[in-house]
Amino acid sequence: MADTYARLELRDISKRFPGVLANDNVSLTVMPGEIHALLGENGAGKSTLVKMIYGIMAPDSGQILWDGQAVRIQNPKAARKLGIGMVFQHFSLFEAMTVLENIALGLDTKVSRAALEVEILKVMNTYGLTLDPKRIVSTLSVGERQRIEIVRALLLNPKLLIMDEPTSVLTPQEVGQLFETLRKLAAQGCSILYISHKLHEIIALCETATILRGGKLIATCDPRKETPRKLAEMMIGANLKEISKVAGRTFGDVKFAVRNLTLPKIGDFGTALNEIEFEVKAGEIFGIAGVAGNGQNELLEALGGEVLAHSNDAISIAGAGVGKCGPTERRAFGLGAVPEERNGHAAVSDFSLQDNAVLTARNRMNMVSAQLIDPSASNAFSQKVIMSFGVKAQGTKATAGSLSGGNLQKYIMGREILQNPVVLVVSQPTWGVDAGAAAAIRQAIVDLAAKGSAMVIISQDLDELLELCDTLSVINLGKLSKPLKVGEVSVEEIGLLMGGIHGEVQHAH
Amino acid sequence: MTMDFIISAIVTVVGISTPILLAATGELVVEKSGVLNLGVEGMMLIGAITGFAVTFTTFNPWLGVIAAAAAGAAVSMVFGVLVLSLGSNQVATGLALAILGIGLSTLIGAGFTGMIVPQFSSIFPSVLSHDPFWRVIFGYSPMVYIALAIIFAVGWVLNYTRAGLVLRAVGENDLSAHSIGYSVIGIRYMAIAFGGAMAGIAGSYFSMVITPMWAERMTAGRGWIALALVVFAGWKAGRLVIGAYLFGALMTLELYAKASGFQFLPSQFWASMPYIMAIVVLAVISYRDRTGSEAPACLGKPFLPNS
């Protein structure tokens, strides 16, 4: 290999923020055409490292070598000029603009609208990514938004593609397709730096893995020779707890029943809900799988009471019809709901954790008397959530927005779980959450079910659903499939039910 | 209603709407970049006195307009530094700018009260500009045509060019624009300077076109109307033109009511119409479009690139 330089080499990169050393002498090497995994928990310094490669930040010390030449990457434009493309975890998208405009913003060369559209369609066809370039981003699901980022990066013909958690919202077939794409890219000499928490994906895809913990380089290894468990333990620096689920559990009475729930679509790009029917017994974990944008958000809003059903009987909690009750009334009946968006939907990011607790727990946890908030009660409850769920936060007065995604998710889950709901509806419980926090959240879901709550988990992460759920249905185009017993159904079957985006069924090979 | 009356009404409406249109066009660009500059009224007054003073000294109204634009842009940079580089509150700083402009223009203008400046001559032959019919198209000050050209250019740039796309992106999601590699602060400085220049020109229209004289606070709150107009137009250039003429028509009503000795309602009622309309229009719009999704998402939020 004397004749080839590494595509990218980092030598002893350090970066300090006030009070924390985000990267401490990190080195890594990515060869041309190599698929290299970057592993680590939230806060391990992966994002910081990647931001320095992409020119968003400058390292305090250390060297970046590109094709053997020492370079200083001043800004993302310079990075793109070198041939570095990036797919962000927190999407850098503009909500009020079209897909086409969003993609145009990520390009540095002037391309006419028509020419760009042709190019986009070409990339989408080559890599099997479906998108309508004229749609406004705010009407798209999380999964579709991610596709914009991927197409945007691929249009630049990058020599190094950085992907931050790219598969979280794809069907198994789509993941397979993406991997084919990535392997094709790698075979053409494009290096890929792949950040993911899905360890078995890394094992399937990557040739090398660099593991970070607390800003330090822990190990560089060949993931194909490791087990997911081993990798996870290197990442968190401790033994990983396996989710313990009591075998042969029996369920109680039906606690949550949805009958013939039909709702028209809201807005031009919403999804109508079409005769949704299912029931969940006490102690049962019911999963709803599906590709983003098939009615999951609408279903969560309908179940949580943000959108009312046409009759009271459409939704019932422990036998009581609540279809026409709003969220507060449904909470009084024992419903808890955790939407997908943490900031802005599940929590107010500028509010303290304590105030966020008041928002959903005030009645069930007696935080209000004579219309006045009892701060000691909300503080105590909030403290309890932080303690029992191991939330890393600067106390109950910290704003929700100051917490990392995983920690805020733990807090929100804890806030609902500690209210002992009769029914808990959760959407995407571990989206963008690291392995340690995800395991804790999943365990909490299992534990709550064991105590007799009925659980509804809406998720695009099929592995998660298969691990957690007793029963599973697939939502596609606003229609829910028949319930399937987990353990009796194959991943391929579920994948086929999930179809493609907006019902384009993909055929298994 | 004779043809003559209709034509003279149109000529008056177009003339009176022009400064509002100019100022609102500048503010549209500023707000599209995500900055709320409430100091339009102050920048207009600075433009009005500067344009007047320079024309008075040089006898060249074109130099006056250029100076007014430069002065508006310069005073807007005070706002820019405070808001963008020092991260101060945009609403409070904008209000301070409005007050500063009123005070500063009064101070500078103290020596110019009662003076008269030469006006623009028509750019068309007087056969057209004074023709009883064709003056509806050719009978305006050159500034009217310039204002229309600018608003169409701004509309085109915002919607069809890359520069406009980037500007809207900065106003829509500053952090994303930053992470893609655009200079949020730099783009906003340029937008604020453009807004200041436009407000300056709008102000000079009062002291050089509407009347060739300087008077304290002569913009009479039109800067505030321009702010309301941007919201009324839903941050769209095309609707801005329609809205400006609508407000102009309301202001013209006052003039006609006074001139015709119309006693049925006091003239103060007509004078208050544009301001009442501004409130009504805003209320109607916010009712119709409760999501407020037309506003740039980052409007008024300071940009603080943290990590």
Side-chain angles (χ1 to χ4, degrees):
Chain A
M1 297 287 276
D3 51 336
T4 42
Y5 289 110
R7 174 66 36 84
L8 174 78
E9 191 180 345
L10 303 183
R11 284 189 193 156
D12 301 324
I13 296 283
S14 290
K15 177 79 185 173
R16 181 180 288 281
F17 293 124
V20 56
L21 193 55
N23 283 147
D24 185 1
N25 282 312
V26 177
S27 301
L28 77 88
T29 307
V30 185
M31 299 306 290
E34 179 184 320
I35 306 182
H36 191 113
L38 192 55
L39 271 172
E41 292 224 287
N42 284 348
K46 300 182 309 260
S47 299
T48 307
L49 193 64
V50 159
K51 277 179 182 171
M52 288 188 285
I53 299 172
Y54 198 57
I56 298 172
M57 287 181 212
D60 293 340
S61 64
Q63 247 190 333
I64 299 177
L65 280 80
W66 179 258
D67 288 335
Q69 302 284 319
V71 286
R72 282 194 61 204
I73 303 171
Q74 304 276 8
N75 52 43
K77 207 168 261 185
R80 288 194 292 266
K81 209 165 168 192
L82 287 176
I84 303 175
M86 170 135 185
V87 176
F88 291 92
Q89 178 187 14
H90 300 290
F91 309 138
S92 57
L93 295 177
F94 304 93
E95 300 248 325
M97 298 188 177
T98 63
V99 171
L100 190 66
E101 287 178 323
N102 266 283
I103 291 173
L105 276 166
L107 304 177
D108 296 316
T109 45
K110 275 193 181 171
V111 187
S112 76
R113 249 169 224 241
L116 182 58
E117 218 176 313
V118 171
E119 267 193 71
I120 291 171
L121 290 174
K122 207 172 81 190
V123 167
M124 290 196 311
N125 285 337
T126 317
Y127 300 118
L129 299 153
T130 318
L131 272 175
D132 176 358
K134 294 197 177 63
R135 288 264 301 255
I136 304 280
V137 171
S138 60
T139 66
L140 298 179
S141 65
V142 179
E144 289 168 304
R145 289 173 195 211
Q146 192 155 39
R147 274 176 230 172
I148 302 176
E149 294 267 7
I150 295 174
V151 170
R152 182 153 82 181
L154 291 181
L155 273 173
L156 295 165
N157 292 320
K159 282 157 112 186
L160 170 69
L161 186 61
I162 304 170
M163 304 202 91
D164 202 351
E165 305 251 353
T167 62
S168 338
V169 288
L170 306 179
T171 62
Q173 281 86 353
E174 285 173 313
V175 170
Q177 213 165 23
L178 177 71
F179 281 10
E180 254 172 60
T181 305
L182 293 180
R183 289 193 187 106
K184 212 188 286 177
L185 272 168
Q188 290 163 6
C190 177
S191 310
I192 291 160
L193 193 55
Y194 189 92
I195 302 174
S196 175
H197 294 130
K198 292 192 181 173
L199 299 165
H200 70 266
E201 280 184 0
I202 285 175
I203 291 168
L205 183 72
C206 303
E207 296 143 38
T208 320
T210 294
I211 299 166
L212 297 182
R213 188 169 72 230
K216 286 199 181 70
L217 181 73
I218 294 301
T220 301
C221 61
D222 183 345
R224 291 167 297 190
K225 294 180 182 142
E226 308 286 341
T227 62
R229 198 186 166 83
K230 182 84 192 303
L231 289 173
E233 284 175 356
M234 281 198 265
M235 235 166 81
I236 62 176
N239 288 334
L240 189 69
K241 271 190 239 155
E242 220 156 289
I243 291 177
S244 56
K245 214 165 142 186
V246 183
R249 288 178 303 141
T250 51
F251 306 134
D253 302 333
V254 172
K255 288 289 178 197
F256 193 53
V258 177
R259 303 239 173 283
N260 196 10
L261 176 68
T262 298
L263 285 172
K265 68 174 179 178
I266 300 168
D268 287 348
F269 302 113
T271 306
L273 295 180
N274 193 352
E275 296 178 6
I276 304 277
E277 295 223 352
F278 66 93
E279 52 182 47
V280 190
K281 299 189 175 90
E284 184 181 1
I285 304 177
F286 183 82
I288 295 175
V291 180
N294 272 298
Q296 288 96 331
N297 291 342
E298 287 82 356
L299 182 59
L300 180 103
E301 285 174 3
L303 297 182
E306 289 173 61
V307 175
L308 301 185
H310 294 300
S311 79
N312 250 337
D313 301 333
I315 299 168
S316 52
I317 298 170
V322 295
K324 297 180 94 166
C325 300
T328 309
E329 281 176 90
R330 288 192 199 183
R331 285 190 178 279
F333 279 101
L335 179 86
V338 179
E340 171 180 351
E341 274 298 315
R342 286 186 277 269
N343 273 311
H345 199 175
V348 181
S349 54
D350 291 339
F351 274 20
S352 67
L353 294 178
Q354 183 180 346
D355 289 345
N356 269 299
V358 175
L359 291 178
T360 73
R362 61 187 181 280
N363 294 330
R364 285 179 79 81
M365 293 291 117
N366 298 320
M367 292 178 188
V368 177
S369 58
Q371 298 304 316
L372 294 174
I373 296 168
D374 176 358
S376 62
S378 62
N379 189 44
F381 178 72
S382 177
Q383 191 63 47
K384 195 171 149 201
V385 173
I386 291 173
M387 298 305 286
S388 359
F389 286 82
V391 180
K392 280 181 211 147
Q394 314 267 21
T396 57
K397 303 288 186 288
T399 60
S402 71
L403 269 62
S404 72
N407 274 306
L408 183 57
Q409 186 70 4
K410 281 200 276 189
Y411 183 80
I412 293 165
M413 289 297 294
R415 176 183 73 181
E416 301 306 320
I417 288 171
L418 289 187
Q419 295 180 50
N420 279 318
V422 178
V423 182
L424 182 61
V425 182
V426 186
S427 182
Q428 299 277 70
T430 59
W431 160 251
V433 169
D434 59 72
I441 288 168
R442 289 178 187 146
Q443 186 62 54
I445 290 172
V446 169
D447 291 347
L448 185 65
K451 283 202 220 150
S453 294
M455 308 291 291
V456 179
I457 314 290
I458 303 172
S459 177
Q460 286 144 29
D461 184 343
L462 194 51
D463 300 322
E464 170 173 86
L465 291 175
L466 292 173
E467 186 182 4
L468 286 178
C469 300
D470 305 300
T471 323
L472 197 123
S473 275
V474 177
I475 191 165
N476 188 16
L477 288 172
K479 258 183 107 63
L480 197 63
S481 75
K482 285 204 171 60
L484 308 158
K485 280 263 166 290
V486 172
E488 295 171 12
V489 62
S490 75
V491 174
E492 282 68 32
E493 273 175 78
I494 298 169
L496 285 176
L497 281 172
M498 285 162 85
I501 182 67
H502 296 309
E504 272 173 49
V505 174
Q506 295 168 350
H507 299 283
H509 302 291
Chain B
M1 258 204 246
T2 62
M3 194 64 174
D4 239 21
F5 175 80
I6 294 172
I7 285 176
S8 92
I10 293 175
V11 169
T12 316
V13 168
V14 170
I16 210 167
S17 311
T18 296
I20 305 174
L21 186 57
L22 280 165
T25 303
E27 183 66 14
L28 173 71
V29 169
V30 177
E31 293 193 12
K32 275 286 185 189
S33 81
V35 177
L36 182 65
N37 185 353
L38 294 180
V40 178
E41 181 79 0
M43 298 187 293
M44 280 171 78
L45 282 166
I46 296 279
I49 185 57
T50 309
F52 184 88
V54 169
T55 311
F56 184 79
T57 354
T58 63
F59 295 101
N60 185 340
W62 291 105
L63 283 181
V65 168
I66 292 167
V75 75
S76 76
M77 284 298 94
V78 175
F79 173 82
V81 169
L82 286 168
V83 158
L84 298 178
S85 299
L86 303 174
S88 71
N89 180 293
Q90 296 183 7
V91 171
T93 312
L95 291 174
L97 178 64
I99 297 165
L100 173 76
I102 293 169
L104 200 57
S105 62
T106 307
L107 181 71
I108 300 170
F112 290 98
T113 317
M115 312 290 184
I116 287 183
V117 289
Q119 285 193 279
F120 286 106
S121 46
S122 175
I123 47 174
F124 298 108
S126 66
V127 186
L128 288 173
S129 62
H130 286 90
D131 182 88
F133 179 75
W134 286 110
R135 71 190 180 108
V136 75
I137 296 175
F138 299 108
Y140 305 101
S141 161
M143 292 313 297
V144 170
Y145 305 104
I146 291 174
L148 281 171
I150 291 175
I151 179 69
F152 284 114
V154 163
W156 183 77
V157 167
L158 280 178
N159 291 315
Y160 297 106
T161 68
R162 188 168 174 81
L165 182 63
V166 172
L167 181 89
R168 284 187 287 136
V170 165
E172 199 53 51
N173 189 339
D174 46 14
L175 290 171
S176 290
H178 177 67
S179 73
I180 295 179
Y182 295 108
S183 166
V184 175
I185 299 283
I187 289 163
R188 286 185 175 172
Y189 262 117
M190 287 192 273
I192 291 173
F194 178 77
M198 294 302 286
I201 296 173
S204 71
Y205 191 91
F206 283 91
S207 60
M208 294 167 60
V209 178
I210 294 183
T211 62
M213 295 191 306
W214 161 253
E216 273 179 36
R217 302 192 182 206
M218 68 186 309
T219 53
R222 301 291 155 81
W224 303 106
I225 300 264
L227 282 170
L229 181 57
V230 176
V231 182
F232 167 73
W235 291 269
K236 287 185 177 68
R239 283 204 246 158
L240 205 64
V241 180
I242 299 166
Y245 289 143
L246 188 74
F247 277 106
L250 288 167
M251 290 172 208
T252 310
L253 277 181
E254 179 207 352
L255 299 179
Y256 277 90
K258 266 188 195 157
S260 63
F262 188 61
Q263 295 296 320
F264 182 63
L265 285 165
S267 72
Q268 285 85 345
F269 172 80
W270 300 109
S272 66
M273 274 309 283
Y275 306 95
I276 293 173
M277 272 310 288
I279 295 169
V280 170
V281 158
L282 292 181
V284 168
I285 284 178
S286 50
Y287 179 77
R288 195 194 61 194
D289 180 30
R290 271 182 248 187
T291 53
S293 58
E294 286 172 325
C298 287
L299 185 59
K301 281 196 293 183
F303 172 63
L304 306 163
N306 40 5
S307 44

Coordinates of all heavy atoms in Angstrom, one line a residue, chain A residues 51 54 56-57 76-77 80 88 91-97 101 104-110 113 152, chain B residues 159-162 164-170 172-182 293 306-307:
Chain A
K51 N -17.6 17.1 12.9 CA -17.7 18.5 12.6 C -16.4 19.1 12.2 O -16.3 20.1 11.4 CB -18.3 19.3 13.8 CG -19.8 19.2 13.8 CD -20.4 20.0 15.0 CE -21.9 19.9 15.1 NZ -22.4 20.4 16.4
Y54 N -15.7 18.1 8.7 CA -16.5 18.8 7.7 C -16.3 20.3 7.8 O -17.0 21.1 7.1 CB -18.0 18.4 8.0 CG -18.9 18.7 6.8 CD1 -18.7 18.2 5.6 CD2 -20.0 19.6 7.0 CE1 -19.5 18.5 4.5 CE2 -20.9 19.9 5.9 CZ -20.6 19.3 4.7 OH -21.4 19.6 3.6
I56 N -16.9 22.5 10.2 CA -17.8 23.4 11.0 C -17.1 23.9 12.2 O -17.3 25.0 12.6 CB -19.1 22.6 11.4 CG1 -19.8 22.1 10.2 CG2 -20.0 23.4 12.3 CD1 -21.0 21.2 10.4
M57 N -16.1 23.1 12.7 CA -15.3 23.6 13.8 C -13.8 23.4 13.4 O -13.5 22.5 12.6 CB -15.5 22.8 15.0 CG -16.8 23.0 15.7 SD -16.8 21.9 17.1 CE -18.5 21.6 17.2
P76 N -17.4 24.3 5.7 CA -18.0 23.2 5.0 C -17.8 23.3 3.5 O -17.7 22.3 2.8 CB -19.5 23.3 5.4 CG -19.5 23.9 6.7 CD -18.4 24.9 6.7
K77 N -17.8 24.5 3.0 CA -17.6 24.7 1.6 C -16.3 24.1 1.2 O -16.1 23.4 0.1 CB -17.7 26.2 1.2 CG -18.2 26.5 -0.2 CD -18.5 27.9 -0.4 CE -20.0 28.2 -0.3 NZ -20.4 29.5 -0.6
R80 N -16.5 20.4 1.2 CA -17.2 19.9 0.0 C -16.2 19.9 -1.2 O -16.2 19.1 -2.1 CB -18.4 20.6 -0.3 CG -19.5 20.3 0.7 CD -20.9 20.8 0.3 NE -21.0 22.3 0.2 CZ -21.4 23.0 1.2 NH1 -21.9 22.4 2.3 NH2 -21.5 24.3 1.1
F88 N -26.4 14.7 7.9 CA -26.4 15.0 9.3 C -27.5 14.2 10.0 O -28.4 13.8 9.5 CB -26.8 16.5 9.4 CG -25.8 17.5 9.0 CD1 -25.7 17.9 7.7 CD2 -24.8 17.9 9.8 CE1 -24.8 18.8 7.3 CE2 -23.8 18.7 9.4 CZ -23.8 19.2 8.1
F91 N -31.2 17.0 11.1 CA -31.2 17.4 9.7 C -31.0 18.9 9.5 O -31.5 19.7 10.3 CB -32.6 17.1 9.1 CG -32.9 15.7 9.3 CD1 -34.2 15.3 9.6 CD2 -32.0 14.7 9.2 CE1 -34.6 14.0 9.9 CE2 -32.3 13.3 9.4 CZ -33.6 13.0 9.7
S92 N -30.1 19.2 8.6 CA -29.9 20.7 8.3 C -30.8 21.1 7.1 O -30.4 21.4 6.1 CB -28.5 20.9 7.9 OG -28.1 20.1 6.8
L93 N -32.1 20.9 7.4 CA -33.1 21.2 6.3 C -33.9 22.5 6.6 O -34.0 22.9 7.8 CB -34.1 20.0 6.2 CG -33.4 18.7 5.7 CD1 -34.5 17.6 5.7 CD2 -32.8 18.9 4.4
F94 N -34.5 23.0 5.6 CA -35.3 24.3 5.7 C -36.7 23.9 5.5 O -37.1 23.5 4.4 CB -34.8 25.3 4.7 CG -33.3 25.5 4.8 CD1 -32.4 24.8 4.1 CD2 -32.8 26.4 5.8 CE1 -31.0 25.0 4.3 CE2 -31.5 26.7 6.0 CZ -30.6 26.0 5.2
E95 N -37.5 23.9 6.6 CA -38.8 23.4 6.6 C -39.8 24.0 5.6 O -40.6 23.3 5.0 CB -39.4 23.6 8.0 CG -38.7 22.9 9.1 CD -39.4 21.8 9.7 OE1 -40.7 21.9 9.8 OE2 -38.8 20.8 10.0
A96 N -39.7 25.3 5.4 CA -40.7 26.0 4.5 C -40.3 25.9 3.0 O -41.0 26.5 2.2 CB -40.8 27.4 5.0
M97 N -39.2 25.2 2.7 CA -38.8 25.2 1.4 C -39.0 23.8 0.7 O -39.2 22.8 1.4 CB -37.3 25.5 1.3 CG -37.0 26.9 1.8 SD -35.3 27.4 1.5 CE -35.4 29.0 2.1
E101 N -35.3 23.0 -3.5 CA -34.5 24.1 -2.9 C -33.5 23.7 -1.9 O -32.4 24.2 -1.8 CB -35.5 25.2 -2.4 CG -36.3 25.9 -3.4 CD -37.3 26.9 -2.9 OE1 -37.9 26.6 -1.8 OE2 -37.5 27.9 -3.5
A104 N -30.6 22.3 -3.6 CA -29.8 23.3 -4.3 C -29.0 24.1 -3.3 O -27.8 24.4 -3.6 CB -30.8 24.3 -5.0
L105 N -29.5 24.3 -2.0 CA -28.7 25.0 -1.0 C -27.4 24.3 -0.6 O -26.5 24.9 -0.1 CB -29.6 25.2 0.2 CG -30.5 26.4 0.1 CD1 -31.5 26.4 1.2 CD2 -29.7 27.7 0.2
G106 N -27.4 23.0 -0.7 CA -26.3 22.2 -0.3 C -25.2 22.1 -1.4 O -24.2 21.5 -1.2
L107 N -25.5 22.7 -2.6 CA -24.5 22.6 -3.7 C -23.8 23.9 -3.8 O -24.4 24.9 -3.5 CB -25.3 22.3 -5.0 CG -26.1 21.0 -5.0 CD1 -26.9 20.9 -6.4 CD2 -25.3 19.8 -4.8
D108 N -22.6 23.8 -4.3 CA -21.8 25.0 -4.4 C -21.7 25.6 -5.8 O -21.4 26.7 -6.0 CB -20.4 24.8 -3.9 CG -20.4 24.5 -2.4 OD1 -21.1 25.1 -1.6 OD2 -19.7 23.5 -2.0
T109 N -22.1 24.7 -6.7 CA -22.1 25.2 -8.1 C -23.5 25.6 -8.5 O -24.5 25.1 -8.0 CB -21.6 24.1 -9.1 OG1 -22.3 22.9 -8.7 CG2 -20.1 23.9 -8.9
K110 N -23.6 26.5 -9.5 CA -24.9 27.0 -10.0 C -25.4 25.9 -11.0 O -24.7 25.6 -11.9 CB -24.7 28.3 -10.6 CG -24.8 29.5 -9.7 CD -25.0 30.8 -10.4 CE -25.0 31.9 -9.3 NZ -25.0 33.2 -9.9
R113 N -32.6 24.9 -12.3 CA -33.6 24.1 -11.7 C -33.9 22.8 -12.4 O -33.9 21.8 -11.9 CB -34.9 24.9 -11.6 CG -35.3 25.3 -10.2 CD -36.4 26.3 -10.2 NE -36.1 27.4 -9.3 CZ -36.9 27.7 -8.2 NH1 -38.0 27.0 -8.0 NH2 -36.5 28.6 -7.4
R152 N -28.7 14.8 -1.3 CA -27.9 16.0 -1.4 C -26.4 15.7 -1.3 O -25.6 16.3 -2.1 CB -28.3 16.9 -0.2 CG -27.6 18.2 -0.1 CD -28.4 19.3 0.6 NE -28.3 19.2 2.0 CZ -29.0 20.1 2.8 NH1 -29.8 21.0 2.3 NH2 -28.9 19.9 4.1
Chain B
N159 N -37.1 34.9 -5.3 CA -37.7 33.6 -5.7 C -37.0 32.8 -6.7 O -37.1 31.6 -6.8 CB -39.1 33.9 -6.2 CG -40.0 34.4 -5.1 OD1 -40.0 33.8 -4.0 ND2 -40.7 35.4 -5.3
Y160 N -36.2 33.5 -7.5 CA -35.6 32.8 -8.7 C -34.1 32.7 -8.7 O -33.5 32.2 -9.6 CB -36.1 33.3 -10.0 CG -37.6 33.2 -10.1 CD1 -38.4 34.3 -10.0 CD2 -38.2 31.9 -10.3 CE1 -39.8 34.1 -10.0 CE2 -39.5 31.8 -10.4 CZ -40.4 32.9 -10.3 OH -41.7 32.7 -10.3
T161 N -33.4 33.3 -7.7 CA -31.9 33.3 -7.8 C -31.4 32.5 -6.6 O -32.0 32.4 -5.6 CB -31.3 34.7 -7.8 OG1 -31.5 35.3 -6.6 CG2 -31.9 35.5 -8.9
R162 N -30.1 32.1 -6.8 CA -29.5 31.5 -5.7 C -29.2 32.4 -4.5 O -29.4 31.9 -3.4 CB -28.1 31.0 -6.2 CG -27.4 30.1 -5.3 CD -26.2 29.4 -5.9 NE -25.6 28.7 -4.8 CZ -26.0 27.5 -4.3 NH1 -27.0 26.9 -4.9 NH2 -25.4 27.0 -3.3
G164 N -31.2 34.7 -3.5 CA -32.4 34.8 -2.8 C -32.7 33.6 -2.0 O -33.2 33.6 -0.9
L165 N -32.4 32.4 -2.6 CA -32.5 31.1 -1.9 C -31.7 31.1 -0.6 O -32.2 30.7 0.4 CB -32.1 30.0 -2.9 CG -32.3 28.6 -2.4 CD1 -33.8 28.3 -2.1 CD2 -31.8 27.6 -3.4
V166 N -30.5 31.5 -0.7 CA -29.6 31.5 0.4 C -30.1 32.5 1.5 O -30.2 32.2 2.7 CB -28.1 31.9 0.0 CG1 -27.3 32.1 1.3 CG2 -27.6 30.8 -0.9
L167 N -30.6 33.7 1.1 CA -31.1 34.6 2.0 C -32.3 34.0 2.8 O -32.4 34.1 4.0 CB -31.6 35.9 1.3 CG -32.1 37.0 2.2 CD1 -31.0 37.9 2.7 CD2 -33.2 37.8 1.5
R168 N -33.2 33.4 2.0 CA -34.4 32.8 2.7 C -34.0 31.7 3.6 O -34.6 31.5 4.7 CB -35.4 32.3 1.6 CG -36.1 33.4 0.9 CD -37.2 32.8 0.0 NE -36.6 32.2 -1.2 CZ -37.0 31.0 -1.7 NH1 -37.9 30.3 -1.1 NH2 -36.4 30.6 -2.8
A169 N -33.0 30.9 3.2 CA -32.5 29.8 4.0 C -32.0 30.3 5.3 O -32.3 29.7 6.4 CB -31.4 29.1 3.2
V170 N -31.3 31.4 5.3 CA -30.7 32.0 6.5 C -31.9 32.4 7.5 O -31.8 32.2 8.7 CB -29.8 33.2 6.2 CG1 -29.5 34.0 7.4 CG2 -28.5 32.7 5.6
E172 N -34.8 31.1 7.5 CA -35.7 29.9 7.7 C -35.0 29.0 8.8 O -35.7 28.6 9.7 CB -35.8 29.1 6.4 CG -37.0 28.2 6.4 CD -38.3 28.9 6.8 OE1 -38.6 29.9 6.2 OE2 -38.9 28.4 7.7
N173 N -33.8 28.8 8.7 CA -33.1 28.0 9.7 C -31.6 28.4 9.8 O -30.8 27.9 9.0 CB -33.2 26.5 9.3 CG -32.8 25.5 10.3 OD1 -32.0 25.9 11.2 ND2 -33.2 24.3 10.3
D174 N -31.3 29.3 10.7 CA -30.0 29.8 10.7 C -28.9 28.8 11.0 O -27.8 28.8 10.4 CB -29.9 31.0 11.7 CG -30.6 30.8 13.0 OD1 -30.8 29.6 13.3 OD2 -30.8 31.7 13.8
L175 N -29.2 27.9 11.9 CA -28.3 26.9 12.3 C -27.9 25.9 11.1 O -26.8 25.6 10.9 CB -28.7 26.1 13.5 CG -28.8 26.9 14.8 CD1 -29.5 26.1 15.9 CD2 -27.4 27.3 15.3
S176 N -29.0 25.5 10.4 CA -28.7 24.7 9.2 C -27.9 25.4 8.2 O -27.0 24.8 7.6 CB -30.0 24.2 8.6 OG -30.7 23.4 9.5
A177 N -28.3 26.6 7.9 CA -27.5 27.4 6.9 C -26.0 27.5 7.4 O -25.1 27.4 6.5 CB -28.1 28.8 6.8
H178 N -25.8 27.7 8.6 CA -24.5 27.7 9.2 C -23.7 26.4 9.0 O -22.6 26.4 8.6 CB -24.5 28.1 10.7 CG -23.2 28.1 11.3 ND1 -22.2 29.1 11.0 CD2 -22.7 27.3 12.3 CE1 -21.2 28.8 11.8 NE2 -21.4 27.8 12.6
S179 N -24.5 25.3 9.2 CA -23.8 24.0 9.2 C -23.5 23.6 7.7 O -22.6 22.9 7.4 CB -24.6 22.9 9.9 OG -25.8 22.6 9.1
I180 N -24.3 24.2 6.8 CA -24.0 23.9 5.4 C -22.8 24.8 4.9 O -22.1 24.4 4.0 CB -25.2 24.2 4.5 CG1 -26.4 23.2 4.8 CG2 -24.9 24.0 3.0 CD1 -27.6 23.4 4.0
G181 N -22.6 25.9 5.6 CA -21.5 26.7 5.3 C -21.8 28.1 4.8 O -20.9 28.7 4.2
Y182 N -23.0 28.6 5.1 CA -23.2 30.0 4.7 C -23.0 30.9 5.9 O -23.2 30.5 7.1 CB -24.7 30.1 4.3 CG -25.0 29.4 3.0 CD1 -25.7 28.2 3.0 CD2 -24.4 29.8 1.8 CE1 -26.0 27.5 1.8 CE2 -24.6 29.1 0.6 CZ -25.4 27.9 0.6 OH -25.6 27.2 -0.5
S293 N -47.4 30.3 9.4 CA -46.3 29.6 8.7 C -45.7 30.4 7.6 O -44.6 30.1 7.1 CB -46.9 28.3 8.1 OG -47.9 28.6 7.2
N306 N -23.6 27.9 18.8 CA -23.0 27.5 20.1 C -21.8 26.6 19.9 O -20.7 27.0 20.0 CB -24.1 26.9 21.0 CG -25.1 26.0 20.2 OD1 -24.9 25.8 19.0 ND2 -26.1 25.5 20.9
S307 N -22.1 25.3 19.5 CA -21.0 24.4 19.5 C -20.3 24.5 18.1 O -20.9 24.8 17.1 CB -21.5 23.0 19.7 OG -22.7 22.8 19.0

